Amino acid sequence: MFSHRWRFGWDRVSEVDLFADRHETSAETLSQAIRAAMSEEPDSDGSVLFGQLQGTVVGLRYYTGVVNQGEMVGLVRQPQNPYDRNAVMVANIYGNQVGHIKRELAAAMAYVMDNNLAKVDGVVHWGTKNKFTMPVMLSFWGREENKNAVIECMARRGYKLNTAGSLNQHKDGEKEAAESVGTPLLLHQKQALSWMCARENQSALPPFWEKRGELYYNTLTCFSTKDIPERVRGGILADDMGLVSDIHTCTYFTHICLHTLSSNCMLLPGFKSVKEKFDYAVMLEIFVYLFVCADVESSIPDTVDDPSARTTLIICPLSVLSNWLDQFEQHVCANVKLNVYLYYGSERNRSKKFLSSQDVVITTYNVLSADFGNKSPLHGINWLRVVLDEGHIIRNPNAQMSKAVLGLKAQRRWILSGTPIQNSVKDLWMLLAFLRLKPFDVREWWYRVIQRPVIQGDRAGLQNLQTLVKCITLRRTKSSEVNGRPLVSLPEKTVCVEQVELSQAEREEYELARNEGRNTIRRYVLVCLYMLRQHCCHPDLLAKISSDLGATATPAELRERLIEKLRLVLASGSDEECSVCLDSVRLPVITHCAHVYCRPCIAQVISTEQNVARCPLCRSEIKTSELVEFPQEEMEEENGTSSEKWRTSSKVQALMGNLLRLRCEDSSIKFLVVSQFTRFLTILEAPLREHGFSFVRLDGTMSQKRRTQDSPAIMLLSLKAGGVGLNLTAASHVFLMDPAWNPATEEQCIDRCHRLGQTRKVVVTKFIVKNSVEENMVKIQRQKQDLVEKAFGSTNTDRKTSRIDDIKSLMEL
DNA sequence: ACCGCCGGGTGCC
DNA sequence: ACCGCCGGGTGCC
């Protein structure tokens, strides 16, 4: 399994890399309709492979669908099958039936599939020439929590999922990017245009298809077919908005069309050449030619083409509708009669005959989807070309708009979008489906072959995705270059920065607000971390209080609660440090601005100020009367209330396990048990007593008499108590119950027994809770040690800032 | 022989 | 399917 972060990383990487280096052109073919029935939403991203199973496809003799060695097959439930309601049909990429899964296995699979416990993939590795049955390797994928249910369910019916095997059922791509078709000597527009023209007219194979003998073979799915895979006549124009104009994509689009024409010398008689002089008026004439006069090129025989189709349908968001209209109004020459119809508003002409006699019909996504399923004239017309402006709008395949767009019949399809992928790889599917890029227009195949591998971090999958996108997309940016020269020349751009000074009054208010906010957050973060650390040791260490600061609290409320939390934290034995003496806080008090100091330290600060005393940390005004302190009684009371009923914790268990084992090995060994939470030491007393360990506490809470009684087996030590010079060489095994911020503190502690006078080997055991702040603290300790080794002597200010960095890295910010 | 055995017909779901 | 299964033909060795 990959961690969440890792997966996310890949998702993002793909987004970035997909469009890198995209000014190269490529020639593939296009496709026409493939409307396969299987387009259930794959319950995507968290899928893991449960296991695999060798199954049997039966009834081959009754169907025409054939498969190649290694070919992926689809498994489709047929609940309506008259012979068996559990039937599972097996089909190849084009949806041709190959056979059925044999009955008993189908019964087991039906349950799993119908209850959405797993998705099942099939690949036929051998036996493809069989006449009656063939083996199929079935892979079960799904969410982790369903894994056992699926394995059990299959096992109950005698099918054992092989869970051990490797999961590389993806043979990695031998696929090279399709050959570039572009002519490097062309200007970038020409390049774009020749690309567009090529996309509408060329006959090369789509990505991942190649000719093998008489057959066309898909290298990713291993499917082959006698018929040439349908071409994708169109693609995605994803040029950066700033590249050509700031007016709108439609301008750019028409722009591109202009160049397409000029570069291909396809001007109508009577049209002037536009190679040199080029303005929008001419451009639109060209647009008219390319987009309106239908048969742009007829050198390629295409049986699917409906020669009567002449209309281009443009779908755009309402907000840009007027841009398109403006473009047409401004730039269409009077001598060109171009029928442009705006299909919008309640009075719109819904006649199919009328609409299909237009040159251009413009409408919005909303109108289209409102019409869809309601005798929509738009869906009854055979369009010459459909253009989706701001095509990323339809990235959600479940949206009505998207379904409406997919239902359009067209010979050529274009998507204009500056951001074809907005959030993740998933966004791309709708675009491919709209373009009818086989076999990915069927969701299932897209998911199996591209999306899942990419999301799970498969490099080959990512590469395939890149190849795919590259083939159908044109994307350049202002900084793109062609043959070492910038793609476009823009007027020079200068960015000036003018600095503005705040007035003194403004500055003071600003600083106040900033400190207030920053310190509140810092303190709160520290408190949260502190609580997590307590959790790692024992749940009862936490004071029982409502645990959130509330999102809607006012600053004053926030402060109140913050102070309350600090009180609780300090009351349970904190290692907070005082910013005045830089030592552990003694006699802690909390200021109104929620900072903690030793009472004598802050008292001294206040007394040295003549007028207004300010907090050393945030410079808020502080008054002696507002200091909140912790009477000794309160701390003890806290002790008493939270220990209603003793219970154990994983860390307690870990310690006891070690102690019991070591005592068996050598009963003379003496232990030092160290924690920074004195209450944790108290909690430990119970099990120690229970197992007959004699112990003393060295944190001052234990009376002097008991300390001097006969030599105990265990010494319980508070990390910061005991002071310097304590000699504990009697102990030879140290248990550090929880990590300290500062590795040096731990070192000091260990040195109390690892010093002159020690006769035994010293063993130190540190307990670190897996997958918790404690692990992160250890990392930070290590970094600190590295730092210390590299450069000696860090100042106090360094210490302060690094503390904040510690917090950041702890929270993985 | 109300069996066993043989060999031809047959075959998905 | 170079199987399994079914049902008709057959019947000591």
Side-chain angles (χ1 to χ4, degrees):
Chain A
M1 260 313 290
F2 296 89
S3 76
H4 185 75
R5 198 157 54 89
W6 180 241
R7 288 209 313 271
F8 181 57
W10 271 106
D11 216 17
R12 287 216 332 248
V13 163
S14 60
E15 181 183 343
V16 171
D17 289 354
L18 271 178
F19 294 115
D21 181 34
R22 189 127 341 262
H23 35 58
E24 168 181 330
T25 61
S26 56
E28 311 71 49
T29 342
L30 342 194
S31 86
Q32 282 294 26
I34 312 146
R35 294 293 85 179
M38 37 198 273
S39 61
E40 199 187 327
E41 160 129 45
D43 181 18
S44 36
D45 304 0
S47 280
V48 295
L49 181 61
F50 294 165
Q52 296 183 319
L53 175 67
Q54 189 74 239
T56 310
V57 186
V58 297
L60 303 185
R61 56 148 66 169
Y62 302 98
Y63 306 101
T64 53
V66 290
V67 294
N68 295 307
Q69 201 147 95
E71 183 170 337
M72 297 183 177
V73 290
L75 301 163
V76 185
R77 278 280 290 116
Q78 282 186 328
Q80 305 301 337
N81 187 302
Y83 303 97
D84 181 4
R85 62 189 172 80
N86 290 324
V88 176
M89 186 258 262
V90 180
N92 67 20
I93 291 281
Y94 272 16
N96 299 328
Q97 183 163 2
V98 176
H100 280 103
I101 294 294
K102 72 166 176 178
R103 197 182 208 98
E104 301 77 12
L105 178 54
M109 285 168 60
Y111 179 83
V112 167
M113 293 169 85
D114 294 348
N115 290 293
N116 222 359
L117 296 173
K119 299 271 166 204
V120 190
D121 283 359
V123 178
V124 181
H125 295 292
W126 43 275
T128 53
K129 300 268 193 301
N130 293 2
K131 274 195 250 171
F132 306 99
T133 68
M134 64 169 71
V136 58
M137 182 54 82
L138 302 170
S139 303
F140 291 69
W141 298 81
R143 280 175 294 146
E144 186 68 47
E145 62 259 38
N146 291 329
K147 182 172 178 171
N148 287 336
V150 169
I151 290 172
E152 254 173 54
C153 167
M154 296 305 292
R156 233 186 352 257
R157 294 162 197 261
Y159 295 100
K160 196 164 177 295
L161 283 193
N162 180 4
T163 51
S166 73
L167 23 138
N168 332 326
Q169 88 289 30
H170 282 286
K171 42 172 197 276
D172 57 7
E174 67 238 45
K175 52 286 156 180
E176 280 302 307
E179 278 304 298
S180 169
V181 132
T183 30
L185 296 175
L186 292 176
L187 298 170
H188 87 282
Q189 292 97 340
K190 274 194 166 184
Q191 187 180 34
L193 272 315
S194 67
W195 179 80
M196 281 185 75
C197 246
R199 293 235 37 101
E200 286 211 347
N201 296 304
Q202 89 336 66
S203 58
L205 293 171
F208 307 117
W209 290 91
E210 58 190 47
K211 193 155 190 205
R212 291 196 179 172
E214 294 302 300
L215 297 176
Y216 297 92
Y217 180 79
N218 185 296
T219 56
L220 289 186
T221 61
C222 297
F223 172 76
S224 62
T225 170
K226 255 186 283 182
D227 306 313
I228 184 163
E230 291 159 87
R231 324 182 258 155
V232 176
R233 311 185 84 187
I236 302 172
L237 281 178
D239 270 352
D240 189 274
M241 286 295 262
L243 183 60
V244 171
S245 85
D246 56 353
I247 305 172
H248 187 254
T249 330
C250 57
T251 311
Y252 180 45
F253 200 50
T254 50
H255 194 139
I256 295 242
C257 298
L258 164 79
H259 282 272
T260 314
L261 268 213
S262 61
S263 63
N264 286 316
C265 301
M266 298 193 305
L267 296 180
L268 282 176
F271 275 60
K272 280 180 237 127
S273 166
V274 291
K275 275 205 165 156
E276 307 308 325
K277 111 181 176 212
F278 133 70
D279 62 74
Y280 284 119
V282 185
M283 175 162 71
L284 245 274
E285 287 183 45
I286 304 299
F287 179 93
V288 170
Y289 181 82
L290 175 62
F291 270 12
V292 178
C293 300
D295 46 0
V296 177
E297 195 184 308
S298 48
S299 60
I300 294 161
D302 190 338
T303 50
V304 195
D305 268 11
D306 172 359
S308 68
R310 64 170 280 180
T311 316
T312 291
L313 174 66
I314 297 172
I315 304 161
C316 63
L318 182 59
S319 58
V320 300
L321 197 68
S322 57
N323 289 10
W324 282 97
L325 291 173
D326 289 349
Q327 292 301 307
F328 281 106
E329 251 176 58
Q330 281 179 44
H331 304 304
V332 175
C333 282
N335 63 341
V336 178
K337 69 169 183 29
L338 175 69
N339 297 317
V340 179
Y341 182 69
L342 173 62
Y343 186 76
Y344 188 80
S346 53
E347 300 302 305
R348 58 184 183 262
N349 189 335
R350 309 177 108 261
S351 154
K352 278 207 298 189
K353 203 171 172 190
F354 168 77
L355 291 170
S356 54
S357 69
Q358 300 296 306
D359 297 310
V360 177
V361 172
I362 307 180
T363 192
T364 68
Y365 288 101
N366 286 331
V367 169
L368 182 77
S369 69
D371 270 15
F372 188 51
N374 183 26
K375 289 179 295 178
S376 166
L378 302 183
H379 290 86
I381 291 170
N382 243 323
W383 304 100
L384 170 67
R385 183 183 290 107
V386 172
V387 179
L388 304 185
D389 190 13
E390 305 291 338
H392 54 267
I393 283 181
I394 57 149
R395 72 179 176 283
N396 174 7
N398 300 317
Q400 280 305 111
M401 267 187 223
S402 306
K403 289 174 186 164
V405 162
L406 288 185
L408 292 168
K409 285 177 278 187
Q411 292 175 17
R412 303 152 199 224
R413 298 161 207 274
W414 287 100
I415 295 163
L416 315 183
S417 175
T419 50
I421 295 190
Q422 222 149 40
N423 295 312
S424 85
V425 192
K426 279 191 259 181
D427 293 353
L428 211 56
W429 180 78
M430 250 314 286
L431 306 186
L432 300 184
F434 171 72
L435 296 176
R436 312 220 167 160
L437 183 74
K438 286 196 163 226
F440 304 116
D441 52 337
V442 173
R443 191 83 163 272
E444 188 75 19
W445 298 114
W446 157 258
Y447 180 63
R448 272 178 69 175
V449 179
I450 306 285
Q451 185 177 318
R452 185 168 59 208
V454 167
I455 284 177
Q456 303 202 338
D458 177 306
R459 283 208 167 268
L462 185 62
Q463 207 194 329
N464 292 338
L465 174 63
Q466 287 175 333
T467 306
L468 193 64
V469 168
K470 201 170 182 172
C471 288
I472 55 165
T473 308
L474 184 70
R475 178 171 179 90
R476 289 90 51 87
T477 64
K478 275 182 284 190
S479 52
S480 296
E481 291 187 354
V482 181
N483 295 337
R485 290 166 55 194
L487 194 59
V488 289
S489 64
L490 294 172
E492 197 183 330
K493 180 175 74 180
T494 320
V495 178
C496 302
V497 175
E498 187 177 325
Q499 297 196 324
V500 178
E501 283 280 354
L502 288 184
S503 74
Q504 191 169 346
E506 285 169 333
R507 170 57 58 189
E508 274 173 21
E509 278 189 56
Y510 175 88
E511 289 298 324
L512 211 65
R514 171 166 151 266
N515 285 328
E516 173 101 349
R518 191 184 57 193
N519 288 315
T520 303
I521 288 166
R522 273 188 205 172
R523 288 285 147 176
Y524 184 47
V525 169
L526 277 176
V527 170
C528 289
L529 283 176
Y530 192 81
M531 288 174 160
L532 292 177
R533 285 160 61 197
Q534 288 181 318
H535 257 297
C536 286
C537 288
H538 197 286
D540 289 347
L541 287 180
L542 273 135
K544 299 207 171 25
I545 38 152
S546 65
S547 60
D548 65 320
L549 283 185
T552 57
T554 66
E557 286 168 347
L558 205 64
R559 176 168 47 220
E560 284 308 308
R561 294 191 216 168
L562 189 61
I563 290 177
E564 182 56 23
K565 290 228 182 219
L566 282 171
R567 282 163 60 103
L568 289 161
V569 165
L570 290 171
S572 53
S574 164
D575 70 339
E576 279 297 321
E577 61 185 23
C578 168
S579 302
V580 179
C581 65
L582 297 169
D583 213 330
S584 290
V585 179
R586 279 175 212 155
L587 300 170
V589 291
I590 300 176
T591 62
H592 197 230
C593 49
H595 295 109
V596 182
Y597 302 98
C598 308
R599 174 166 265 289
C601 292
I602 200 70
Q604 201 196 348
V605 169
I606 293 173
S607 67
T608 51
E609 287 294 336
Q610 283 97 330
N611 304 323
V612 192
R614 295 195 175 276
C615 172
L617 279 174
C618 71
R619 305 203 35 80
S620 297
E621 195 175 322
I622 49 175
K623 294 181 186 145
T624 315
S625 59
E626 284 173 353
L627 296 177
V628 183
E629 52 186 308
F630 302 91
Q632 199 64 29
E633 311 86 75
E634 189 178 352
M635 295 174 88
E636 274 162 18
E637 186 185 276
E638 187 62 34
N639 271 340
T641 49
S642 62
S643 54
E644 315 117 8
K645 202 179 169 205
W646 193 88
R647 53 175 166 160
T648 188
S649 76
S650 300
K651 218 176 239 188
V652 172
Q653 293 301 103
L655 173 68
M656 293 312 295
N658 272 275
L659 287 175
L660 292 169
R661 180 173 51 79
L662 291 165
R663 181 169 66 179
C664 276
E665 289 169 10
D666 178 358
S667 60
S668 69
I669 197 164
K670 293 195 189 305
F671 306 97
L672 187 57
V673 176
V674 187
S675 169
Q676 55 202 305
F677 305 107
T678 52
R679 287 170 61 227
F680 191 37
L681 298 177
T682 308
I683 287 171
L684 290 174
E685 289 181 13
L688 292 178
R689 228 174 261 126
E690 189 189 324
H691 289 96
F693 286 100
S694 57
F695 60 89
V696 290
R697 280 184 72 149
L698 299 176
D699 63 351
T701 64
M702 187 63 64
S703 66
Q704 202 63 29
K705 315 172 225 165
R706 279 179 66 181
R707 201 196 272 203
T708 52
Q709 274 171 359
D710 56 353
S711 171
I714 295 174
M715 285 168 278
L716 297 175
L717 181 69
S718 159
L719 188 66
K720 297 209 170 179
V724 261
L726 197 53
N727 189 342
L728 302 170
T729 48
S732 64
H733 198 125
V734 183
F735 290 101
L736 296 177
M737 298 309 293
D738 31 66
W741 282 106
N742 191 344
T745 318
E746 288 181 2
E747 284 303 318
Q748 278 168 25
C749 198
I750 294 165
D751 289 345
R752 283 174 182 163
C753 65
H754 191 227
R755 66 204 296 175
L756 280 175
Q758 180 58 263
T759 55
R760 296 167 177 250
K761 281 184 190 166
V762 171
V763 181
V764 180
T765 306
K766 297 184 181 188
F767 293 107
I768 304 294
V769 172
K770 249 197 217 169
N771 247 329
S772 76
V773 280
E774 291 190 345
E775 274 194 339
N776 292 334
M777 288 177 74
V778 171
K779 274 185 218 151
I780 289 168
Q781 284 184 353
R782 210 168 288 140
Q783 286 166 11
K784 277 192 181 166
Q785 246 151 358
D786 288 352
L787 212 70
V788 168
E789 277 162 26
K790 274 181 199 144
F792 240 91
S794 66
T795 65
N796 281 336
T797 42
D798 288 345
R799 256 183 78 195
K800 277 267 162 275
T801 51
S802 74
R803 178 73 170 259
I804 298 306
D805 292 340
D806 289 350
I807 293 165
K808 276 190 188 158
S809 73
L810 264 173
M811 302 304 257
E812 290 176 338
L813 294 177

